[in-house]
RNA sequence: GGCCCCGUCGUCUAGCCUGGUUCAGGACACCACCCUUUCACGGUGGGUACAUGGGUUCGAAUCCCAUCGGGGUCACCA
């Protein structure tokens, strides 16, 4: 039996290793999900490691945000930093002790292995500045040649000779340097469980940097050391890393574990397909700027004055807006301000964006699982099985069924999944989750919902909401000022004043019937409307006039709930105002 | 450009490994109709794909090769 109670055994250990330089990208979330799923399926452990060796770009705030996003999705780690959820539960509480899950705190470990490599003649200090290297690289490119760092002639592969010792002494004395790996001149085979064996010819690798001038290891080095010392057995990541993997394999062959003295293991690799936008571009934060810019330019093309309104509406300096429109800057903050002012839904690229726009984690996780993986099962009626939950993924995930072809992220399908997931909730569950979301992301609206009104309103809105935010849109009637909301004139003409004011007469009738209703509940209101409908030529003749009178438009959720949530006083006030201000 | 990976409807994909049961199935999107108190929901139906060219074979989406196309990677970023 395993002595690790929280997760499974250490026979299988997968890891997700983000660098904390921003929010969790949706593609990263998929990587994490697959790693998690495989570990669960194998009864192993899923680890979260923070790769913060880029001191300039990393932040603890980002690390925390990433952990919260993962937790929100339901992707919880057995090993990694601990995170206390809102419910007070601690994720990572049973983590194994592997010497820290933040790479920046593991520098002494890396340095020991650096020295091991140097003394084995497999790594050496190099003293060129990055400017010098850059100049050489440019010259090579200009000459249409592939740049490879030329190994100094005095360095003998696999031998700690006098020249190397002299370099090492200079480095240890504090002279500015990097450490480079003496790459082997032999073919390297990366055994990949998705792609099969990927062979890289001898001489393709050059002596890449494994420790930077600032003393931190590079990604390539830290990954190899950590995966070995933390017992990682399976490395699953996006295909963009495939071309880096030979470096890792080469490093593994050159290193020995300082505890066991044995050569490093080569973990099982599985590189998964990449995810792109529908137009084939990379999904990036810049997509928000592109989207907002296009919308703004379109508006200005229609009406030149729109730019002035944009400046005023966003509160940004005119120069900032001008630069933004000219694509001088892709700043997310500007894009978001423009988006907010223009009432745009900017394209989501980070998990947090989806959350803020009203997506629910079950739908995201389900959709993500289908991007590059497929259970290959049928439902009872013979269709492809597409809808499933985390439990299913944990039970059925397999590397063999990971695809090889890149995928485009189809937001329309995600939206459909989200709508279905919302539709599958009970009314009570929807009401609870919708309310919690509104309180966090639409506090103004949340305040406007009367106490006890959430379930009634939720029932009215659930079927027409593909996102939680849609529920707010559908409830726009609630936010109207009872005495000044505008009327859609076409709707008024059609439903109120037409046929000699038949609609207005109906409003009058309904108003009088409603005045006595007690309690003012959706079901009761509905049955009253139904009665009237029977007496007067169908529900359309009753409902549409009321709808227009109550909301100013011909579109709203069902009237029983709409009126009930508004309450008797507001309902009568609105009907009265309509009667007062309108005539044939 | 060098090296590497990939190529089934607009998109995600099933089928490919173990060639025939597939003039290729599902889902999303789209269109039409039905239902209907508006908007939605739901129901029914429809169009659309094996990149191209060569092989192998009685037979190829499935095996082989070439071409074309897409992508990744070549940092003191991860």
């Amino acid at each position: 039996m395993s002595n690790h109670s929280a997760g499974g055994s250490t026979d299988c250990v997968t890891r997700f290793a983000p660098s904390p330089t921003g929010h969790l990208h949706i593609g990263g979330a998929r990587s994490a999900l697959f790693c998690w799923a495989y570990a669960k399926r194998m009864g192993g452990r899923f680890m979260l490691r923070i790769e913060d060796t880029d001191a300039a770009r990393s932040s603890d705030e980002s690390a925390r945000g990433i952990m919260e996003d993962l937790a929100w999705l339901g992707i919880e780690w057995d090993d990694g930093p601990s995170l206390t959820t809102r419910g007070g539960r601690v994720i990572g509480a049973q983590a194994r002790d592997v010497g820290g899950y933040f790479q920046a705190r593991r520098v002494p470990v890396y340095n020991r292995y650096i020295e091991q490599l140097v003394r084995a003649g497999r790594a050496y200090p190099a003293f060129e500045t990055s400017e010098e290297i850059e100049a050489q690289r440019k010259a090579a490119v200009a000459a249409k040649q592939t740049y490879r760092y030329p190994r100094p002639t005095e360095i003998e592969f696999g031998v700690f000779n006098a020249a190397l010792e002299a370099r090492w002494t200079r480095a240890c004395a504090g002279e500015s340097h990097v450490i480079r790996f003496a790459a082997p001149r032999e073919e390297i085979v990366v055994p990949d469980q998705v792609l099969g064996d990927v062979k890289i010819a001898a001489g393709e690798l050059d002596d890449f940097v494994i420790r930077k001038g600032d003393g931190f290891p590079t990604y390539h080095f830290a990954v190899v050391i950590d995966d070995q010392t933390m017992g990682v057995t399976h490395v699953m990541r996006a295909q963009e890393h495939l071309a880096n993997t030979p470096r890792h394999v080469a490093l593994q062959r050159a290193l020995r574990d300082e505890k066991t003295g044995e050569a490093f293991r080569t973990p099982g690799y599985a590189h998964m397909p990449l995810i792109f936008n529908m137009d084939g571009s990379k999904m990036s934060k810049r997509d928000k700027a592109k989207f907002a810019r296009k919308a703004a330019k379109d508006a200005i093309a229609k009406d030149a004055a729109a730019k002035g309104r944009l400046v005023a509406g966003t509160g940004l300096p005119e120069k900032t807006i001008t630069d933004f429109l000219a694509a001088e800057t892709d700043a997310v903050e500007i894009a978001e301000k423009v988006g907010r002012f223009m009432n745009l839904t900017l394209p989501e690229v980070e998990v947090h964006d989806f959350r803020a726009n009203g997506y629910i984690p079950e739908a995201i996780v389900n959709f993500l699982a289908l991007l590059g993986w497929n259970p290959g099962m049928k439902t009872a009626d013979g269709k492809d099985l597409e809808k499933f939950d985390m439990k299913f993924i944990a039970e059925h995930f397999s590397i063999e069924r990971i695809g090889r072809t890149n995928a485009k992220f189809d937001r329309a399908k995600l939206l459909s999944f989200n709508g279905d997931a919302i539709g599958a909730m009970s009314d009570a569950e929807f009401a609870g989750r919708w309310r919690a979301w509104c309180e966090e992301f639409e506090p103004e609206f949340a305040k406007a919902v009367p106490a006890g009104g959430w379930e009634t309103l939720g029932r009215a809105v659930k079927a027409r909401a593909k996102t939680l935010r849609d529920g707010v849109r559908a409830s726009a009637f609630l936010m109207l000022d009872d005495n000044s909301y505008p009327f859609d004139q076409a709707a008024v003409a059609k439903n109120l004043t037409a046929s000699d004011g038949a609609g207005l007469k109906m409003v009058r009738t309904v108003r009088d019937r409603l005045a006595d209703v007690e309690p003012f509940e959706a079901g009761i209101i509905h049955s009253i409307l139904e009665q009237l409908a029977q007496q007067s030529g169908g529900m359309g003749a009753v409902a549409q006039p009321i709808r227009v009178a109550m909301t100013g438009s011909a579109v709203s959720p069902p009237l029983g709930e709409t009126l009930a949530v508004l309450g008797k006083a507001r309902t009568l006030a609105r009907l009265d105002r309509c009667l007062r201000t309108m005539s044939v």
Side-chain angles (χ1 to χ4, degrees):
Chain A
M1 273 306 281
S2 161
N3 56 353
H4 305 295
S5 54
S9 70
T10 51
D11 293 347
C12 171
V13 177
T14 63
R15 50 51 167 198
F16 176 57
S19 61
T21 55
H23 288 287
L24 177 60
H25 188 276
I26 194 71
R30 192 206 42 175
S31 295
L33 174 65
F34 282 26
C35 290
W36 173 89
Y38 189 65
K40 295 298 120 178
R41 169 69 199 282
M42 301 304 286
R45 301 179 72 83
F46 170 59
M47 174 196 300
L48 175 66
R49 181 174 70 220
I50 306 296
E51 308 218 329
D52 54 352
T53 55
D54 185 343
R57 296 200 300 148
S58 298
S59 75
D60 288 349
E61 192 192 343
S62 291
R64 182 172 180 87
I66 288 169
M67 289 193 271
E68 284 173 349
D69 288 338
L70 287 171
W72 179 72
L73 288 169
I75 301 171
E76 302 193 355
W77 50 99
D78 303 301
D79 296 321
S82 54
L83 175 77
T84 305
T85 64
R86 288 180 197 198
R89 211 159 39 80
V90 179
I91 299 173
Q94 306 290 320
R96 290 174 299 144
D97 178 14
V98 295
Y101 292 97
F102 286 82
Q103 289 184 329
R105 298 181 203 157
R106 295 171 53 82
V107 170
V109 178
Y110 306 126
N111 283 339
R112 288 201 299 275
Y113 281 104
I114 289 281
E115 179 161 4
Q116 178 194 114
L117 242 26
V118 171
R119 297 213 177 270
R122 292 302 306 277
Y124 56 90
F127 301 95
E128 296 88 350
T129 64
S130 46
E131 290 75 23
E132 285 166 349
I133 297 291
E134 195 48 40
Q136 289 176 27
R137 189 188 321 280
K138 277 193 180 132
V141 170
K144 291 192 175 178
Q145 284 177 333
T146 303
Y147 177 77
R148 289 199 179 84
Y149 179 82
R151 183 178 303 164
T153 49
E154 78 232 45
I155 298 297
E156 261 182 277
F157 184 81
V159 181
F160 187 66
N161 63 16
L164 177 49
E165 184 166 9
R167 282 174 175 248
W168 183 239
T169 304
R170 280 168 68 190
C172 290
E175 190 171 337
S176 172
H177 70 286
V178 299
I179 302 291
R180 283 178 183 273
F181 176 59
R185 303 278 190 257
E186 61 190 29
E187 180 185 78
I188 294 184
V189 178
V190 176
D192 188 283
Q193 294 178 20
V194 172
L195 271 9
D197 286 356
V198 177
K199 299 185 178 73
I200 277 75
E204 283 298 320
L205 284 188
D206 73 349
D207 289 356
F208 56 94
V209 173
I210 55 177
R211 188 172 75 189
K212 299 179 275 187
D214 64 6
F216 281 109
T218 59
Y219 160 74
H220 301 302
F221 192 70
V223 160
V224 167
I225 300 301
D226 287 347
D227 286 345
Q228 169 71 25
T229 58
M230 297 177 176
V232 171
T233 59
H234 295 263
V235 173
M236 304 172 68
R237 44 159 54 154
Q239 255 177 44
E240 67 196 35
H241 290 292
L242 178 62
N244 290 147
T245 310
R247 297 164 194 255
H248 304 168
V249 172
L251 238 16
Q252 282 151 192
R253 292 200 186 144
L255 284 157
R256 304 203 142 265
D257 191 298
E258 61 182 8
K259 287 210 178 91
T260 65
E262 288 171 17
F264 274 30
R265 290 168 293 106
T266 289
Y269 285 105
H271 287 94
M272 44 194 141
L274 269 12
I275 303 173
F276 295 97
N277 283 317
M278 289 302 276
D279 66 1
S281 62
K282 267 190 183 172
M283 287 180 82
S284 85
K285 292 175 212 177
R286 280 198 299 277
D287 294 343
K288 294 183 199 175
K290 279 188 210 154
F291 186 88
R293 177 177 303 125
K294 184 174 186 313
K297 283 179 137 178
D298 287 351
I300 292 167
K302 261 190 221 150
D303 174 9
K307 185 174 173 186
R309 287 198 295 274
L310 195 56
V311 171
T314 56
L316 292 165
E318 176 158 6
K319 168 107 171 51
T320 305
I321 294 289
T322 305
D323 286 353
F324 180 72
L325 291 172
E328 296 284 331
T329 169
D330 282 335
V332 175
E333 308 79 63
I334 302 173
E336 282 175 348
K337 277 188 179 166
V338 170
R340 209 168 309 136
F341 173 68
M342 295 184 66
N343 207 6
L344 307 169
T345 299
L346 264 25
E348 306 89 354
V349 318
E350 290 159 344
V351 170
H352 187 266
D353 300 330
F354 290 96
R355 181 178 179 183
N357 281 343
Y359 286 83
I360 65 170
E362 294 95 316
I364 294 177
V365 154
N366 188 173
F367 179 74
L368 247 24
L370 252 8
L371 238 39
W373 179 76
N374 190 291
M377 295 182 194
K378 302 285 183 189
T379 59
D381 55 348
K383 297 180 171 180
D384 290 3
L385 180 66
E386 282 201 315
K387 297 295 176 65
F388 42 72
D389 59 11
M390 291 287 270
K391 181 168 175 287
F392 177 90
I393 298 171
E395 283 168 4
H396 297 281
F397 185 82
S398 64
I399 291 180
E400 303 83 71
R401 294 204 62 87
I402 295 178
R404 282 162 289 276
T405 70
N406 293 163
K408 289 178 182 170
F409 192 93
D410 187 353
R411 287 190 172 76
K413 184 154 181 170
L414 201 215
L415 194 61
S416 168
F417 271 44
N418 205 63
D420 288 348
I422 284 175
M425 291 180 199
S426 68
D427 288 346
E429 186 189 359
F430 175 74
R433 293 177 66 167
W434 185 44
R435 176 181 188 168
W437 181 86
C438 288
E439 281 167 351
E440 184 170 1
F441 295 101
E442 290 283 351
E444 296 255 316
F445 173 77
K447 272 183 224 138
V449 178
W454 285 98
E455 189 140 350
T456 303
L457 190 56
R459 207 186 318 130
V461 135
K462 197 179 86 173
R464 59 217 81 215
K466 287 198 188 295
T467 66
L468 297 175
R469 189 182 291 289
D470 284 345
V472 176
R473 289 198 191 95
S475 306
F477 68 88
L478 192 60
M479 306 294 282
L480 300 173
D481 181 276
D482 293 342
N483 285 305
S484 63
Y485 56 89
F487 287 92
D488 172 346
Q489 289 310 315
V492 167
K494 184 176 176 197
N495 299 295
L496 291 173
T497 56
S499 309
D500 219 17
L504 283 171
K505 282 178 200 138
M506 181 58 72
V507 171
R508 173 92 256 161
T509 308
V510 171
R511 191 250 173 250
D512 292 344
R513 289 292 306 275
L514 255 24
D516 302 326
V517 171
E518 203 63 52
F520 204 69
E521 286 173 357
I524 299 173
I525 296 167
H526 179 255
S527 60
I528 288 174
L529 296 180
E530 201 122 73
Q531 276 172 33
L532 288 169
Q534 281 178 11
Q535 298 159 17
S536 52
M539 194 51 126
V542 179
Q544 285 309 90
I546 303 305
R547 201 182 310 278
V548 176
M550 288 297 299
T551 68
S553 103
V555 179
S556 88
L559 289 175
E561 282 79 8
T562 300
L563 305 203
V565 167
L566 246 13
K568 194 197 277 187
R570 293 185 73 187
T571 296
L572 296 183
R574 289 187 180 199
L575 295 178
D576 285 340
R577 170 178 172 242
C578 171
L579 259 7
R580 196 166 61 232
T581 55
M582 254 176 256
S583 57
V584 181

